[in-house]
Amino acid sequence: MAKDQIQVLNALDVAKTQWYHFTAIIIAGMGFFTDAYDLFCVSLVTKLLGRIYYHVDGAAKPGTLPPNVSAAVNGVAFIGTLSGQLFFGWLGDKLGRKKVYGMTLMIMVICSIGSGLSFGHTPETVMATLCFFRFWLGFGIGGDYPLSATIMSEYSNKKTRGAFIAAVFAMQGFGILAGGIFAIIIASIFKAKFDSPSYAVDPLGSTVPQADFVWRIIVIVGAFPAALTYYWRMKMPETARYTALVAKNTAQAAADMSKVLQVEIQAEPEEEVKEKYGLFTKEFLSRHGLHLLGTTSTWFLLDIAFYSQNLFQKDIFSAIGWIPPAQTMNALEEVYKIARAQTLIALCSTVPGYWFTVALIDRIGRFKIQLMGFFFMTVFMFALAIPYDHWTHKDNRIGFVVLYSLTFFFANFGPNATTFVVPAEIFPARFRSTCHGISSATGKLGAIVGAFGFLYLAQNPDKSKADAGYPAGIGVKNSLIVLGVVNILGFLFTFLVPEANGKSLEEMSGENEEEEVGSKDVEKSHANNNGTVTHI
């Protein structure tokens, strides 16, 4: 029989939902708000940067970022995020969640402002400065993944833990909406004040000098909501699970949680236990090896599909007439129309998907939601791919948009949320942040494959019809079929992930059993010592 749970941890597990749970969601979720805001805005910003810094006299279309520059602006943020996930995931287990939590937020705030202040006399120097700050912005955002998930899971009660962790992740939805709405407002204000003709009428005059302020303001403003929560992050006590199970200070854990829960919790005497197994050991591999394979593989496969879908947005928006050809608009009008189109997609499919997960994850469980999400993503991907020629006809474009939106909905009401939740629940406290960092970093590797691999893969098989600077690919239809197969693999690998619904973190991670084994070993050792006779 497993050892009884430490009293302070049991108090957290059975605690009623209180105000501190909701404040923790806001405080922990602000990193994801900034993450989504930045990701959303970069697509707007890259269009504007192309017009401002890469204008070509006499060209039929407005300037665009060269493929290598575009890849750098997007890629450095991904690489920074991946690095931050691994580094801060490890650091969160070594130093404690609280000690490094403020660090990640400060990096995000400073680098968001730095990105907006990117300086230089030439396009190359502006892009180099922007890439530098975007790498470190990604580094801070990456650190927020394991720390926010771990802190929220360790603060939550077991009845609503899934919803609380998912709600932190769902703050991304508000970040997307805030980015879209703010971009629409700023573009409208500048357009009213500094109106200009379309590119077709006046190529140089269509991009007013003040447009350079627009992208900078949009990028910098993303830092302020995160900065506002810095004080409260610093005020949060260390999680009781880290203090009791890793730092081995149950008295401090009881004192901290007594204040948070506003109930008296008695500290328990410290017990001597044997040294526990490490992360890179056979014991960890036998207990949690398949779990780690399950969380890493599903997140990797999900992000390949999720991030590659963004590639088709510009074609879809143009096809249904939401975004007219670039040459028929001026620079500020293009920012306004892209922001409006992306905000509508987010409002109709992305954001509702997140909150469906929050509402239902503790009722139907993580496992079922993830399986269902991968299943429907596969169905809709094949429904787009197999009759792809049918969808290209003008009369059928609305159907294409509906199916495309549904894939996003079931990604968010599915594996995009659950892959974030599960790694924060199933590993022991001393590895929890590290294992979440490893899982999320593997996911970000999938995002790099999805965003860049499919950028090349989805090009027209005819080299002459491929985008400028790109080699021939396999085409959109075949790319969608490949993505359908990726989702099938995600469905299959989900079977390696255990269901954590309604169970305590210690029950899921096996830490109660470890304590029991450790206690027995100590008792046996004392008995042997007491029974020893010294012979002379």
Side-chain angles (χ1 to χ4, degrees), residues 45 48-49 52-53 115-118 182 186-187 190 194 207-221 332 335:
V45 166
L48 199 48
L49 289 172
I52 295 167
Y53 295 108
S115 296
L117 298 176
S118 296
F182 187 69
I186 290 293
F190 272 76
F194 309 104
T207 306
V208 293
Q210 291 81 4
D212 195 47
F213 293 118
V214 171
W215 73 268
R216 295 177 187 275
I217 291 167
I218 290 170
V219 168
I220 286 172
V221 164
L332 298 174
V335 170

Side-chain angles (χ1 to χ4, degrees), residues 28-101:
M30 269 307 150
F32 291 96
F33 180 97
T34 305
D35 177 22
Y37 183 98
D38 171 69
L39 253 175
F40 180 93
C41 290
V42 76
S43 59
L44 302 175
V45 166
T46 49
K47 288 274 188 189
L48 199 48
L49 289 172
R51 282 188 183 243
I52 295 167
Y53 295 108
Y54 291 91
H55 172 75
V56 179
D57 286 328
K61 291 181 180 179
T64 56
L65 294 186
N68 61 327
V69 176
S70 179
V73 170
N74 290 287
V76 291
F78 282 139
I79 294 164
T81 305
L82 190 154
S83 309
Q85 286 163 335
L86 292 172
F87 177 71
F88 285 110
W90 168 78
L91 207 61
D93 284 333
K94 284 291 172 192
L95 302 181
R97 292 49 160 139
K98 176 186 165 65
K99 282 184 182 174
V100 289
Y101 203 32

Side-chain angles (χ1 to χ4, degrees), residues 14-213:
V14 299
K16 291 179 180 176
T17 299
Q18 296 176 34
W19 182 245
Y20 86 88
H21 286 119
F22 297 107
T23 55
I25 288 168
I26 303 294
I27 295 164
M30 269 307 150
F32 291 96
F33 180 97
T34 305
D35 177 22
Y37 183 98
D38 171 69
L39 253 175
F40 180 93
C41 290
V42 76
S43 59
L44 302 175
V45 166
T46 49
K47 288 274 188 189
L48 199 48
L49 289 172
R51 282 188 183 243
I52 295 167
Y53 295 108
Y54 291 91
H55 172 75
V56 179
D57 286 328
K61 291 181 180 179
T64 56
L65 294 186
N68 61 327
V69 176
S70 179
V73 170
N74 290 287
V76 291
F78 282 139
I79 294 164
T81 305
L82 190 154
S83 309
Q85 286 163 335
L86 292 172
F87 177 71
F88 285 110
W90 168 78
L91 207 61
D93 284 333
K94 284 291 172 192
L95 302 181
R97 292 49 160 139
K98 176 186 165 65
K99 282 184 182 174
V100 289
Y101 203 32
M103 222 184 291
T104 60
L105 198 71
M106 225 49 238
I107 292 170
M108 278 188 262
V109 171
I110 292 165
C111 293
S112 284
I113 295 168
S115 296
L117 298 176
S118 296
F119 51 84
H121 294 295
T122 64
E124 290 75 19
T125 51
V126 173
M127 292 303 129
T129 315
L130 181 62
C131 286
F132 173 81
F133 283 114
R134 281 186 60 73
F135 173 83
W136 291 108
L137 174 63
F139 192 69
I141 286 168
D144 235 52
Y145 273 75
L147 293 170
S148 289
T150 302
I151 285 170
M152 202 65 235
S153 76
E154 292 180 347
Y155 262 107
S156 301
N157 59 50
K158 63 184 179 183
K159 188 179 176 184
T160 55
R161 187 179 61 236
F164 289 155
I165 305 171
V168 168
F169 194 61
M171 290 292 285
Q172 283 190 331
F174 292 125
I176 292 168
L177 289 179
I181 292 164
F182 187 69
I184 288 167
I185 292 166
I186 290 293
S188 300
I189 291 169
F190 272 76
K191 189 173 177 296
K193 188 85 173 162
F194 309 104
D195 201 10
S196 60
S198 69
Y199 183 87
V201 174
D202 183 356
L204 201 57
S206 66
T207 306
V208 293
Q210 291 81 4
D212 195 47
F213 293 118

Side-chain angles (χ1 to χ4, degrees), residues 486-503:
V486 166
N487 288 325
I488 291 171
L489 291 172
F491 182 90
L492 296 173
F493 275 102
T494 297
F495 287 94
L496 296 175
V497 181
E499 177 58 78
N501 196 17
K503 296 176 182 175

Side-chain angles (χ1 to χ4, degrees), residues 299-352:
W299 207 332
F300 175 76
L301 293 162
L302 174 272
D303 273 7
I304 290 176
F306 188 78
Y307 282 87
S308 62
Q309 286 180 79
N310 292 322
L311 299 175
F312 310 120
Q313 273 196 4
K314 65 179 191 302
D315 303 322
I316 289 164
F317 293 152
S318 300
I320 60 173
W322 283 3
I323 300 174
Q327 62 270 26
T328 65
M329 299 180 282
N330 63 39
L332 298 174
E333 196 179 351
E334 186 175 37
V335 170
Y336 172 84
K337 291 201 169 164
I338 294 172
R340 185 184 63 179
Q342 292 188 350
T343 306
L344 280 169
I345 285 282
L347 206 54
C348 297
S349 64
T350 310
V351 176

